[in-house]
């Protein structure tokens, strides 16, 4: 059996006395598209943020290709460039144009020369339908457009895994579709994805696996079909009844 | 001898015109260099003060950071907490007495204004840095940038843009406050005015001219900085880059 890309063991995260993640265990295999669902405050964002160490775990081990990402000497920068993140609030670099947003990581982190980096950025922006807007600043484009650029920015680093934290929840309804379409295309291309989402239809149709989180633990982890048509856990059932 | 206010003003403007201009030039040079150097000092101090200290970094380094920060805070407190006129006296005469340093008044002036401005700028710049949305920082980390790269490419450009009005403000304050340097005989505008006025014992007329010059200086600087700010923001609109289709054609086609 091939080694998982990411392994999470006994992950715990406390904010003060608030235990947000309690003993999380799971693995991510190459090519999986995992949707993480669950009610607000169940710890979904915290889990994603722990995975790329924007949040420091209180306890537990996270491995990337078998290597402990918290070990001294582990290249966090290199790791983060291979595990990209797409944020709910886009977080495009406000001081840079659309094109520069997709170039700056390549040139500063990966040391790719400018010409190549721009070519790659153009190609990716084209694939998310944003090639026309390369000269625009983030404040000049719509939410849906921002999120597509943010996805292109993450892809420019050639990540092995992309983490999405509710990529469409800050969008007006009519813009949700354009972002989901891009994500659907990515899923089909074989990219490994971890998606925190409230879009149940998307979770059901696109993902290969669904994780239901409840009060800081993984309450159910199964195929979309199993979870949506025959949830084993009462809390999952109650949650889905509310959502669908 | 001139007899009315108007005549005296004209008299001084003609007789001491070059004198006033030289004083104004010195004032402007000290204020400009002091603001620029003060800005660089302030930025550096703010960058160090906002550096995250990991709990797991070596003990020695943590202590080192703490000491450095303590020194920087002391610097800010002392220079913001005492008047520049007093700092001028202490530094100019102190350096001569303690270390036998024979600074020219101009060198002392540049040093004093820079270091004084630096203390204010340090807090302004820190405010600018921490007011940049945390998401910007996280996004930069998430594509693998180090703290230093994040600061250089993402945070500082935004922070500096946001504090430009305050930097301009400091510049204007400096143009006016260089007048205190007359106590260490820097030949700036106020000093020059005082000498001119003393010769004829006409203080009102001379300082009327002086105030007009100060106002013209601060007013022009304010306007220049405002237009500079606009320019830095870039164009309000952007041009669409047509790939296969010419944008005009698309627009016509839709109409
Ligand atoms: N930086 C923080 N400091 C303190 N508490 C935090 C912090 N971040 C998150 N929490 C708490 O952790 C809990 C889980 O938050 P988290 O954002 O992971 O939930 P979530 O499942 O993503 O919810 P949502 O669907 O609303 O985004 C919440 O109770 C929240 O208040
Ligand atoms: Mg969340």
């Amino acid at each position: 059996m091939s080694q998982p890309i990411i392994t999470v063991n006994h992950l715990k995260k406390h904010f003060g006395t608030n235990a947000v993640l309690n003993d999380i265990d799971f693995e991510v295999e190459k090519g999986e598209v995992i949707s993480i669902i669950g009610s607000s405050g169940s710890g979904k964002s915290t889990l994603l943020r722990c995975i790329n160490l924007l949040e420091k775990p209180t306890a537990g081990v996270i491995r990337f290709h078998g290597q402990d990402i918290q070990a001294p000497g582990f290249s966090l920068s290199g790791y983060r460039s291979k595990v990209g993140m797409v944020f709910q609030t886009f977080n495009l670099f406000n001081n840079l144009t659309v094109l520069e947003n997709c170039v700056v990581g390549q040139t500063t982190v990966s040391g790719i020369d400018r010409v190549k980096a721009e070519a790659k950025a153009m190609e990716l922006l084209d694939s998310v339908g944003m090639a026309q807007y390369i000269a625009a600043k983030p404040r000049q484009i719509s939410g849906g457009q921002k999120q597509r650029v943010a996805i292109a920015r993450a892809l420019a680093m050639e990540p092995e895994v992309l983490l999405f934290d509710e990529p469409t929840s800050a969008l007006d309804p009519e813009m949700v579709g354009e972002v989901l379409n891009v994500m659907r295309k990515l899923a089909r291309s074989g990219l490994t994805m971890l998606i925190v989402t409230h879009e149940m239809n998307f979770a059901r149709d696109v993902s290969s696996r669904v994780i239901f989180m409840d009060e800081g633990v993984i309450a159910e982890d199964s195929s979309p079909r199993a979870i949506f048509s025959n949830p084993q856990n009462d809390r999952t059932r109650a949650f889905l009844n509310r959502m669908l | 001898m001139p007899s009315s206010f108007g005549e005296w003003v004209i008299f001084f403007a003609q007789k001491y015109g070059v004198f006033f201009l030289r004083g104004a030039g010195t004032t402007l040079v000290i204020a400009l260099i002091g603001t620029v150097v003060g800005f660089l000092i302030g930025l550096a101090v703010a960058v160090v003060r906002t550096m995250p200290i990991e709990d797991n970094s070596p003990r020695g380094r943590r202590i080192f950071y703490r000491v450095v920060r303590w020194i920087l805070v002391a610097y800010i407190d002392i220079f913001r907490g005492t008047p520049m006129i007093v700092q001028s006296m202490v530094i100019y005469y102190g350096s001569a007495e303690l270390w036998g340093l024979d600074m020219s008044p101009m060198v002392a002036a540049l040093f004093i204004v820079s270091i004084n401005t630096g203390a204010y700028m340090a807090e302004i710049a820190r405010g600018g840095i921490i007011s940049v949305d945390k998401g910007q920082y996280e996004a930069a980390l998430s594509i693998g940038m180090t703290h230093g790269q994040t600061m250089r490419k993402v945070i500082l450009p935004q922070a500096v843009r946001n504090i430009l009005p305050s930097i301009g403000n400091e510049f204007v304050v400096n143009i006016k406050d260089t007048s205190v340097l007359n106590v260490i005989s820097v030949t700036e505008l106020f000093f020059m005015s005082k000498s001119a006025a003393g010769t004829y014992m006409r203080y009102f007329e001379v300082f009327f001219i002086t105030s007009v010059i100060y106002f013209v200086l601060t007013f022009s600087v304010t306007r220049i900085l405002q237009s500079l700010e606009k320019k830095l923001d870039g164009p309000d609109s952007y041009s669409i880059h047509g790939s296969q289709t010419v944008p005009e054609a698309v627009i016509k086609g839709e109409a």
Side-chain angles (χ1 to χ4, degrees):
Chain A
M1 205 191 96
S2 74
Q3 194 181 42
I5 300 187
I6 293 175
T7 323
V8 176
N9 285 126
H10 301 299
L11 175 65
K12 292 197 177 84
K13 176 67 189 177
H14 297 185
F15 289 109
T17 54
N18 185 6
V20 175
L21 295 178
N22 285 308
D23 214 21
I24 300 277
D25 279 287
F26 75 105
E27 292 179 347
V28 180
E29 305 277 350
K30 187 170 164 45
E32 280 192 299
V33 176
I34 305 176
S35 289
I36 302 175
I37 61 173
S39 42
S40 184
S42 56
K44 306 178 299 291
S45 300
T46 307
L47 175 59
L48 280 200
R49 293 167 57 81
C50 281
I51 289 177
N52 70 355
L53 286 191
L54 287 179
E55 221 62 81
K56 195 173 160 354
T58 310
V61 182
I62 300 169
R63 289 177 199 283
F64 180 64
H65 291 298
Q67 279 190 298
D68 181 354
I69 65 168
Q70 296 179 82
F74 179 82
S75 165
L76 197 51
S77 160
Y79 167 68
R80 283 188 176 133
S81 69
K82 292 294 149 219
V83 179
M85 178 121 174
V86 174
F87 300 85
Q88 182 173 359
T89 48
F90 330 123
N91 297 346
L92 288 184
F93 303 135
N94 292 327
N95 56 319
L96 302 178
T97 62
V98 163
L99 182 69
E100 276 309 306
N101 262 278
C102 302
V103 167
V104 68
Q106 298 185 67
T107 52
T108 50
V109 178
S110 321
I112 293 170
D113 78 69
R114 223 190 140 78
V115 177
K116 274 197 196 137
E118 277 185 15
K120 169 145 205 113
M122 278 306 297
E123 179 193 316
L124 288 165
L125 285 168
D126 195 37
S127 77
V128 298
M130 286 299 292
Q132 292 191 315
Y133 297 89
I134 51 171
K137 285 283 184 72
R139 65 184 146 85
Q140 296 167 321
I141 57 179
S142 75
Q145 293 174 328
K146 281 184 202 170
Q147 197 59 299
R148 286 185 278 147
V149 174
I151 292 172
R153 174 179 68 181
L155 291 173
M157 305 307 292
E158 305 197 329
E160 291 179 45
V161 184
L162 259 194
L163 312 172
F164 294 80
D165 190 3
E166 302 195 30
T168 58
S169 9
L171 297 177
D172 289 339
E174 68 264 32
M175 293 173 186
V176 170
E178 65 190 48
V179 172
L180 291 183
N181 281 340
V182 167
M183 292 171 61
R184 203 168 276 134
K185 215 161 73 177
L186 284 177
R188 257 187 258 122
S189 77
L191 180 70
T192 312
M193 296 158 77
L194 239 71
I195 308 160
V196 171
T197 184
H198 288 293
E199 297 286 333
M200 291 303 136
N201 291 329
F202 181 83
R204 185 180 49 209
D205 302 340
V206 178
S207 39
S208 59
R209 184 175 149 199
V210 176
I211 288 178
F212 172 70
M213 282 192 66
D214 186 52
E215 300 192 336
V217 297
I218 293 181
E220 198 158 346
D221 178 349
S222 168
S223 73
R225 186 132 52 114
I227 289 230
F228 284 102
S229 56
N230 186 21
Q232 299 300 304
N233 187 303
D234 289 342
R235 309 279 302 225
T236 319
R237 197 168 306 131
F239 173 75
L240 289 175
N241 278 338
R242 263 183 290 129
M243 295 301 292
L244 292 175
Chain B
M1 272 288 164
S3 54
S4 67
F5 171 76
E7 283 174 20
W8 272 111
V9 168
I10 293 167
F11 169 77
F12 277 114
Q14 280 172 348
K15 184 146 193 229
Y16 287 94
V18 181
F19 211 62
F20 280 121
L21 285 182
R22 275 226 310 274
T26 307
T27 287
L28 209 52
V29 166
I30 297 174
L32 180 64
I33 295 179
T35 307
V36 170
V37 176
F39 165 68
L40 295 176
I41 294 174
L43 201 61
V45 170
V47 165
V48 172
R49 286 192 67 203
T50 53
M51 219 150 31
I53 305 176
E54 307 286 342
D55 321 326
N56 57 0
S57 53
R59 210 178 125 78
R61 185 179 307 166
R62 278 196 336 255
I63 293 172
F64 175 73
Y65 272 141
R66 206 163 301 155
V67 171
V68 168
R69 278 184 196 186
W70 188 88
I71 293 171
L72 294 178
V73 172
Y75 156 63
I76 293 169
D77 285 345
I78 290 169
F79 278 88
R80 293 203 314 172
T82 54
M84 192 158 81
I85 192 166
V86 176
Q87 291 163 16
S88 311
M89 299 299 266
V90 170
I91 291 174
Y92 185 61
Y93 293 106
S95 63
E97 212 166 299
L98 291 181
W99 304 301
L101 225 63
D102 187 21
M103 266 192 277
S104 75
M106 188 64 183
V107 171
L110 290 174
F111 179 75
I112 291 158
V113 176
S114 301
I115 199 121
N116 180 281
T117 309
Y120 286 92
M121 289 284 194
E123 280 303 86
I124 293 172
R126 195 171 67 92
I129 290 171
I130 60 183
S131 68
V132 174
D133 177 27
K134 198 160 147 268
Q136 298 282 307
Y137 189 77
E138 293 189 341
L141 292 189
S142 82
I143 56 171
M145 286 196 198
T146 61
H147 175 75
Q149 291 168 336
T150 303
M151 290 306 265
R152 268 206 315 281
K153 301 282 180 182
V154 179
I155 306 297
L156 290 183
Q158 295 183 49
V160 170
R161 166 63 194 88
N162 290 341
I163 64 171
L164 269 186
S166 306
I167 296 173
N169 196 39
E170 282 299 306
F171 190 13
V172 167
V173 166
N174 278 341
I175 289 175
K176 295 183 295 174
D177 282 4
T178 47
S179 57
V180 307
L181 296 166
N182 81 85
V183 298
I184 56 168
S185 307
V186 178
T187 54
E188 42 67 49
L189 183 54
F190 185 89
F191 183 90
M192 295 301 233
S193 310
K194 220 168 60 169
S195 331
T199 315
Y200 292 86
M201 302 302 281
R202 304 300 309 189
Y203 287 93
F204 174 49
E205 289 82 358
V206 168
F207 280 96
F208 175 77
I209 298 176
T210 309
S211 60
V212 170
I213 298 177
Y214 272 118
F215 181 75
V216 169
L217 289 183
T218 54
F219 185 82
S220 349
V221 162
T222 311
R223 294 305 125 116
I224 291 170
L225 288 175
Q226 275 170 2
S227 61
L228 189 76
E229 238 179 85
K230 274 229 182 71
K231 213 162 159 192
L232 281 181
D233 278 345
D236 283 337
S237 58
Y238 53 89
S239 48
I240 294 277
H241 287 247
S243 34
Q244 297 94 343
T245 41
V246 185
E248 287 87 347
V250 176
I251 292 161
K252 273 186 203 137
E254 278 172 357

